[in-house]
Amino acid sequence: MSIKLIVIGGGASGMMCAGTAANAGANVILLEKKDKLGLKLSLTGKGRGNITNSQPNIKLFIEQFGRNGKFLYSAFNQFFNKELIKFFEDLGVQTKEGHGGRIFPQSENAWDIVDALRKYLHQNNVHIELQRKVKELLHFNNEIRGVITDKGNLFADKIVIATGGASYPKTGSTGDGYKFAKDTGHRVNPIYPVLVPLELKQDTSSMNKLKLKNIAVSVWKKDKKLAERFGECIFTDFGLDGAVILSLSRELKQEIRSDYLTLKIDLKPGLSDNQLHQRIIKESNIKGKSCIGSFLKSYLPQQIIPLVINRSNIDSKKQVSHLIKEERKRLINTFKNLEFTIIGTRPISSALVTSGGVELSQIEPKTMASKIMKGLYFVGEILDLDAETGGYNLQAAFSTGYLAGKSAAKKRT
Ligand SMILES: Cc1cc2nc3c(=O)[nH]c(=O)nc-3n(C[C@H](O)[C@H](O)[C@H](O)COP(=O)(O)OP(=O)(O)OC[C@H]3O[C@@H](n4cnc5c(N)ncnc54)[C@H](O)[C@@H]3O)c2cc1C
């Protein structure tokens, strides 16, 4: 008799797990509460489907997850990026590499990834039930028995929780799995939105959609620099978004919640104060008659110039040649330290990833099985694991899903 397995959640990890377990001989039911599989997966890489990263070194890949990353060694040793790319190629999806090692389907359409996984499920005779929501787990004597759903109870030998985190709830990831984990005696570490835009105290609406490239952004608690990133950011009507901001939101997830922090943008990180000073002096000899507003156009995008002039406390109509030493000093200081106050992050519904979740010490890393409840497995974002942007989070979902699928298909001992 083959193992009867229920996988809860038809996202990246759940689909990989269900297909793999069925391929290994299990009798699998996949329960998904939405009317489609892979809704969140379809949004990844801005709809282009950033399934993994090309980083060939497992150790360096794992560094992107921070301290908890070492939990992933077993999963990655069994099924890593090379295997994932081959898996999709075998299902007819060719891939290509983009910026920062990001791997996308050739078509740059994330739905091709979802379709390939759906094909894999059908090929392996997984029984899929859409619009079927699991409400509770059934267990007895520390052994899993089945699930209570909105359409009746189902019984199984083993159950995999692949319900994802709590971000982008419209895709179905509403954090249900945290309750299932707690109800079965697992510790769930506090969850935080990460890879999420930041809200600022200052009104930034006049700069909405302004993208700044090649800038340095640092975050400070009083005189202590907490973190710094180099790259690009985008102003929004509530604050800041963009690659460096998402990354900072992850590194400072706790600090941002406990205090108002100062964010400084260095608009010219390639130039020292002195170099900037020399350049301004040199150019003011040539364009001395220009007012400061038009003079700054060769340094900055138009949308940010009024703010820089205002922060430097200079009359915008003043001719450059009439600037006094103190005014030039203030201008340079604004260029190098354009300050804002972080009042928080956008809500978890806007976060790309949920940080925190099921405590890893309760999970067997070689199988993804719970050490507390027999026959229960956890995979994907519900685990207390999260990484930078770049395809790392999806690789973790696919690898843990694969490992649990292989392990759960084996008979109970
Ligand atoms: C906008 C966006 C862009 C992203 N871009 C990237 C990227 O480019 N690269 C990358 O690596 N990662 C990216 N991520 C993160 C990545 O999508 C997730 O880490 C990954 O999808 C997690 O997979 P999962 O299977 O654990 O959970 P999910 O994909 O969230 O799937 C969970 C599934 O479980 C279902 N479910 C939940 N509760 C129940 C229940 N009670 N009963 C039945 N079904 C239930 C949900 O409906 C959902 O379908 C992005 C995330 C977002 C939101």
Side-chain angles (χ1 to χ4, degrees):
M1 278 280 283
S2 55
I3 284 286
K4 188 166 178 199
L5 175 71
I6 291 175
V7 178
I8 312 171
S13 63
M15 285 191 278
M16 178 60 83
C17 178
T20 305
N23 186 263
N27 179 357
V28 185
I29 302 177
L30 176 61
L31 304 177
E32 167 54 53
K33 71 177 175 187
K34 300 297 280 188
D35 61 355
K36 283 192 185 70
L37 296 170
L39 276 178
K40 187 175 278 182
L41 183 52
S42 76
L43 300 178
T44 63
K46 300 192 173 120
R48 293 162 67 210
N50 171 208
I51 51 166
T52 185
N53 192 281
S54 65
Q55 170 58 257
N57 183 312
I58 290 187
K59 185 168 175 284
L60 296 181
F61 201 107
I62 276 178
E63 276 177 13
Q64 301 291 329
F65 290 82
R67 245 179 357 151
N68 284 357
K70 59 183 186 305
F71 177 85
L72 288 165
Y73 270 107
S74 300
F76 285 173
N77 275 325
Q78 286 224 22
F79 189 79
F80 193 42
N81 50 10
K82 261 198 343 238
E83 288 79 19
L84 184 68
I85 290 168
K86 177 157 187 326
F87 169 84
F88 281 113
E89 282 179 358
D90 289 347
L91 289 164
V93 181
Q94 298 302 311
T95 57
K96 65 176 183 186
E97 188 170 335
H99 170 68
R102 289 167 169 80
I103 302 292
F104 300 96
Q106 284 273 356
S107 61
E108 299 195 14
N109 181 353
W111 281 111
D112 287 351
I113 296 296
V114 180
D115 288 344
L117 285 162
R118 202 182 292 123
K119 181 170 156 188
Y120 182 57
L121 296 172
H122 287 306
Q123 277 174 355
N124 288 291
N125 298 318
V126 172
H127 177 77
I128 303 167
E129 292 215 20
L130 299 176
Q131 292 178 293
R132 187 145 188 191
K133 179 178 170 173
V134 173
K135 291 161 76 174
E136 249 176 77
L137 302 187
L138 292 165
H139 53 95
F140 185 69
N141 266 351
N142 281 338
E143 266 194 49
I144 206 76
R145 294 293 169 93
V147 292
I148 302 176
T149 80
D150 52 357
K151 292 173 185 156
N153 298 357
L154 290 170
F155 298 91
D157 303 310
K158 298 186 181 184
I159 287 176
V160 178
I161 301 184
T163 47
S167 67
Y168 271 65
K170 277 188 187 149
T171 62
S173 327
T174 47
D176 302 7
Y178 300 128
K179 179 181 172 298
F180 304 153
K182 282 182 195 158
D183 288 351
T184 45
H186 298 83
R187 191 161 71 243
V188 176
N189 293 327
I191 60 165
Y192 300 92
V194 294
L195 304 183
V196 63
L198 297 178
E199 291 184 0
L200 302 178
K201 187 174 171 192
Q202 293 78 11
D203 180 8
T204 52
S205 54
S206 65
M207 296 184 291
N208 193 14
K209 298 200 170 92
L210 169 66
K211 186 186 268 190
L212 298 176
K213 290 184 175 169
N214 302 321
I215 41 118
V217 179
S218 53
V219 178
W220 299 71
K221 185 169 186 173
K222 300 209 170 78
D223 293 336
K224 190 174 168 213
K225 192 199 282 186
L226 301 178
E228 184 170 33
R229 295 284 186 282
F230 178 84
E232 64 179 49
C233 68
I234 303 163
F235 280 98
T236 64
D237 53 4
F238 56 78
L240 279 167
D241 196 351
V244 298
I245 300 300
L246 297 184
S247 178
L248 285 167
S249 78
R250 180 166 174 268
E251 180 167 345
L252 302 173
K253 61 183 180 190
Q254 271 152 338
E255 288 88 342
I256 287 172
R257 256 141 213 94
S258 63
D259 218 338
Y260 279 13
L261 303 174
T262 302
L263 179 144
K264 293 185 190 178
I265 303 181
D266 181 348
L267 295 161
K268 295 287 169 201
L271 297 174
S272 66
D273 287 21
N274 191 34
Q275 286 168 324
L276 195 54
H277 183 249
Q278 295 305 327
R279 196 174 142 187
I280 289 175
I281 294 279
K282 200 171 151 197
E283 282 188 33
S284 31
N285 288 336
I286 305 164
K287 301 179 189 164
K289 286 214 161 58
S290 316
C291 69
I292 183 73
S294 66
F295 176 77
L296 288 178
K297 281 184 193 159
S298 59
Y299 290 82
L300 296 169
Q302 177 63 45
Q303 258 177 296
I304 202 171
I305 291 176
L307 178 70
V308 169
I309 294 177
N310 181 285
R311 291 286 184 90
S312 310
N313 198 13
I314 298 173
D315 175 1
S316 63
K317 294 193 190 78
K318 196 162 193 176
Q319 282 188 8
V320 181
S321 57
H322 293 168
L323 286 183
I324 59 168
K325 195 174 162 197
E326 271 313 305
E327 287 172 322
R328 272 199 304 272
K329 244 180 152 176
R330 290 203 297 269
L331 184 62
I332 288 159
N333 187 45
T334 310
F335 261 93
K336 301 293 286 176
N337 299 286
L338 187 60
E339 275 191 30
F340 298 93
T341 307
I342 302 173
I343 54 173
T345 67
R346 292 301 267 172
I348 198 157
S349 55
S350 311
L352 298 191
V353 169
T354 308
S355 177
V358 173
E359 162 61 34
L360 299 176
S361 62
Q362 304 167 345
I363 310 298
E364 175 51 62
K366 290 194 167 82
T367 59
M368 296 296 140
S370 161
K371 293 178 184 171
I372 290 171
M373 177 74 49
K374 253 192 180 167
L376 186 63
Y377 296 73
F378 291 90
V379 296
E381 202 176 308
I382 189 171
L383 295 165
D384 187 0
L385 281 166
D386 62 276
E388 291 287 332
T389 57
Y392 305 101
N393 288 297
L394 273 178
Q395 180 68 51
F398 287 128
S399 296
T400 53
Y402 175 89
L403 192 54
K406 279 267 178 225
S407 325
K410 291 183 187 147
K411 296 233 162 36
R412 263 197 205 169
T413 47

